[in-house]
Amino acid sequence: MSTLVTGSEVNPFLDPLRFDKRAPECLVVIFGASGDLTKRKLLPALYNLARDRRLSTGFAVLGISRTPLSDDDFRARMKDAVAQFSESGPLDTGVWEGFEQGLYYLPGNFADGEFYKLLAARLGEIATARGTSGNVLFYLSTQPSFYPAIVERLGEAGLDGKSGQGWQRVIIEKPFGEDLASARELNQRIHRVFDESEIYRIDHYLGKETVQNILAFRFANGIFEPLWNRRYIRQVQITAAESIGVEGRGVFYEEVGALRDMVQTHLLQVMATVAMEPPARFDAASTRDEKAKALRSIRPLRHDEVATRAVAGQYGPARLGGRDLAGYRQEAGVKPDSQIETYVAATFFVDNWRWAGVPFYLRTGKHLPKRVTEIAIHFASAPHSLFPEAAETAPNLMILRIQPEEGISLKFHSKQPGSGMQLRAVSMDFNYGSSFGVRSPSAYETLLLDAINGDATLYTRQDMVEASWAAVQPVMEVWKNTRFRFPNYPVGSWGPAEADEMLARNGHQWRTP
Ligand code: BG6
């Protein structure tokens, strides 16, 4: 039976009704513990869970990477990281002191089979010391090329959930493969060791509160779903704009690009959440069945459609606010003639009865004017205009704001005060922060807690990952043989002109968030 970690007794962020999940005892093993994700996201998320008393006292973390560090070095580094990145206020030293006692570190080369004997021994010691009951959550946050080897070595070392001592699960960071064929192969290799029920493919967008809220919004209310189809919706725009560039990740980006980094993953998952049918129940199998069906209904572009339905962009240098900002090709680790895209816009159609003929426009880019992720649902206009003198005739819009100002707005027309019938667009707004007044857990908090609890609802399944690769595969194939005239948008702009032209051909235009 698990008891709860106690730290500081006063926690202004804790709302017991809001987070009703608590974790069983468990050891989280992070492969790639000296990397950015561990320090920016994973440890801050685990610390916040401890702070909110979501973790059992039988909890520990073992960091693994090549960097030689002692347990104490690791604890000191993670303390700095949590203080900097936890987003839950100043570090609570009471909570930290309890939490850090469960932090361990093991340096090693995870390509080497011998290392796993050491690992197995260390896992046994920690399980005894911390009372984690043999439950282990492996988190693979290394270079993706190491994933299959790590999983296979874990299997050889008997760390594959078959020992009967506790459970073993594995979280796999994106990118999951680099195309459809490699994703299939990776799935096969991992399945030789772990059962699908033990594999948690993470897409952190699915853990964002506002992405989860799309399901509540659609399926807990009676008034929106009747409109949620081709009869009333003319187009859907999904934007994930970032104001930052590649931020020192040039080497990684050169191998990945925005299509794989953002579209195949986050944007298609969000699109599936918007497009899916209501599941029979809110459980992992039913929810993921419907998302997989939606992803499989996305019509893959024909090669000859790619030029008009998909746009690649790369940011170039600009002078903004008196500062010279580097273009992508000037970033460290980037080739001076790089053909890698930092911006993508694409038009997809969902071939089913609900969505036939409705374009889903997706766009994402680095170094755009602001950080904003939103879904804009453009409804049909009124069938007949009764107010010829009205200046405003733009169709109704529903904006689901994923970040940073999380909420939902409905834009509609209203009569302006005064004589005559002048109309103006007004907005009905729901704002997460002011409505609930509590800190939303980060996506990684939600997802880690779910994996520890064995709930895979917000993780992607093999068929979902393969369907999303299938959707972008033709674009990757065509772009591989395309010579782009990059850079084609300056830092701080809304992307290349071709993205506007893509919509203009359908009589549409991008909303400026
Ligand atoms: C990651 C991508 O998955 O998502 C990054 O690799 C991107 O390139 C990040 O910056 C965006 O996530 P968020 O949560 O900040 O929108």
Side-chain angles (χ1 to χ4, degrees):
M1 191 58 208
S2 57
T3 42
L4 300 174
V5 168
T6 49
S8 134
E9 291 309 316
V10 185
N11 184 343
F13 294 104
L14 181 65
D15 172 354
L17 293 176
R18 177 143 173 60
F19 302 102
D20 59 356
K21 285 185 181 168
R22 291 202 167 87
E25 53 278 17
C26 147
L27 166 56
V28 176
V29 177
I30 303 173
F31 285 88
S34 59
D36 239 32
L37 189 77
T38 303
K39 92 175 173 210
R40 283 175 188 269
K41 302 286 183 191
L42 303 183
L43 259 293
L46 292 169
Y47 159 82
N48 282 339
L49 289 173
R51 187 178 194 272
D52 288 347
R53 288 173 273 163
R54 297 297 114 193
L55 301 176
S56 157
T57 42
F59 179 79
V61 176
L62 174 64
I64 299 176
S65 75
R66 286 171 204 238
T67 317
L69 296 177
S70 66
D71 288 345
D72 283 341
D73 296 336
F74 183 58
R75 289 170 184 164
R77 281 192 182 201
M78 293 304 114
K79 185 176 182 185
D80 291 345
V82 168
Q84 192 180 350
F85 298 112
S86 87
E87 293 175 6
S88 62
L91 187 81
D92 183 323
T93 42
V95 174
W96 178 259
E97 279 161 19
F99 180 72
E100 77 167 0
Q101 285 169 19
L103 298 189
Y104 301 88
Y105 185 82
L106 182 63
N109 173 2
F110 28 72
D112 170 12
E114 287 301 302
F115 169 73
Y116 291 78
K117 293 185 186 145
L118 280 180
L119 173 62
R122 194 75 195 273
L123 294 185
E125 286 161 20
I126 297 173
T128 310
R130 299 286 304 178
T132 54
S133 305
N135 297 333
V136 185
L137 179 63
F138 295 106
Y139 199 117
L140 307 196
S141 170
T142 62
Q143 272 173 37
S145 53
F146 284 118
Y147 296 165
I150 293 175
V151 168
E152 282 159 9
R153 299 294 91 77
L154 288 175
E156 286 158 15
L159 299 169
D160 54 1
K162 317 244 172 349
S163 68
Q165 288 171 351
W167 45 256
Q168 273 96 65
R169 301 182 186 130
V170 57
I171 299 186
I172 300 183
E173 255 302 330
K174 65 178 260 290
F176 193 88
E178 55 190 45
D179 56 14
L180 180 56
S182 60
R184 280 194 179 134
E185 194 200 317
L186 183 57
N187 272 322
Q188 281 166 6
R189 288 180 70 178
I190 295 174
H191 277 147
R192 281 187 212 127
V193 179
F194 288 102
D195 182 70
E196 179 66 26
S197 64
E198 296 160 331
I199 304 170
Y200 289 70
R201 297 173 195 78
I202 197 163
D203 184 310
H204 78 276
Y205 268 54
L206 293 180
K208 288 184 189 276
E209 284 286 306
T210 34
V211 173
Q212 294 180 65
N213 191 42
I214 299 170
L215 295 182
F217 177 76
R218 290 188 56 198
F219 304 133
N221 297 295
I223 61 171
F224 305 117
E225 205 49 26
L227 305 178
W228 212 256
N229 58 56
R230 63 190 300 278
R231 240 174 296 159
Y232 302 102
I233 294 178
R234 290 292 168 268
Q235 47 154 322
V236 178
Q237 297 186 5
I238 303 180
T239 299
E242 296 187 84
S243 53
I244 53 171
V246 291
E247 302 290 291
R249 296 198 308 159
V251 174
F252 164 79
Y253 225 73
E254 282 288 277
E255 282 183 18
V256 180
L259 186 67
R260 290 185 174 92
D261 188 38
M262 294 292 291
V263 180
Q264 182 271 331
T265 51
H266 309 321
L267 291 194
L268 285 179
Q269 291 302 327
V270 171
M271 175 174 159
T273 313
V274 172
M276 70 191 268
E277 294 300 316
R281 274 178 299 279
F282 188 54
D283 60 23
S286 316
T287 310
R288 299 195 298 175
D289 283 350
E290 293 306 337
K291 279 194 191 151
K293 236 166 72 188
L295 289 165
R296 278 198 300 273
S297 309
I298 297 175
R299 188 194 318 156
L301 273 61
R302 292 191 317 264
H303 280 188
D304 63 353
E305 289 173 330
V306 170
T308 50
R309 295 258 189 88
V311 174
Q314 187 192 81
Y315 61 85
R319 190 170 172 78
L320 277 182
R323 282 173 58 217
D324 285 320
L325 297 166
Y328 177 67
R329 290 177 175 183
Q330 287 80 54
E331 304 272 6
V334 173
K335 289 199 209 84
D337 58 350
S338 172
Q339 285 287 307
I340 294 298
E341 77 287 353
T342 59
Y343 174 100
V344 177
T347 308
F348 288 107
F349 288 93
V350 179
D351 280 346
N352 61 22
W353 278 53
R354 186 191 282 264
W355 293 114
V358 178
F360 281 76
Y361 299 119
L362 273 46
R363 69 174 159 168
T364 182
K366 302 275 185 204
H367 263 320
L368 300 186
K370 54 153 98 160
R371 174 174 186 248
V372 57
T373 302
E374 66 162 42
I375 301 156
I377 314 280
H378 294 241
F379 287 93
S381 304
H384 168 64
S385 171
L386 210 54
F387 310 110
E389 58 184 294
E392 276 289 348
T393 53
N396 299 128
L397 255 186
M398 168 92 73
I399 314 294
L400 306 175
R401 294 191 309 273
I402 307 296
Q403 59 190 21
E405 283 153 30
E406 302 157 330
I408 298 175
S409 299
L410 178 64
K411 311 239 179 240
F412 59 97
H413 305 298
S414 168
K415 179 186 175 308
Q416 288 197 37
S419 62
M421 242 332 179
Q422 291 294 336
L423 304 187
R424 213 184 76 195
V426 292
S427 184
M428 220 149 72
D429 296 312
F430 151 69
N431 181 293
Y432 244 84
S434 54
S435 294
F436 292 107
V438 289
R439 181 185 74 87
S440 292
S442 73
Y444 281 94
E445 281 169 59
T446 302
L447 293 169
L448 281 163
L449 193 57
D450 279 0
I452 295 171
N453 278 308
D455 181 350
T457 309
L458 300 177
Y459 283 85
T460 62
R461 205 170 55 185
Q462 172 179 8
D463 52 350
M464 294 162 69
V465 170
E466 291 181 8
S468 51
W469 276 118
V472 297
Q473 184 73 24
V475 182
M476 293 190 310
E477 283 163 6
V478 171
W479 284 4
K480 207 165 82 190
N481 300 314
T482 305
R483 185 103 204 129
F484 295 107
R485 277 198 223 115
F486 282 162
N488 58 355
Y489 72 98
V491 167
S493 71
W494 275 110
E498 291 92 319
D500 297 330
E501 289 155 19
M502 179 177 84
L503 266 64
R505 279 193 290 274
N506 296 344
H508 294 152
Q509 71 184 71
W510 291 108
R511 182 185 121 76
T512 305

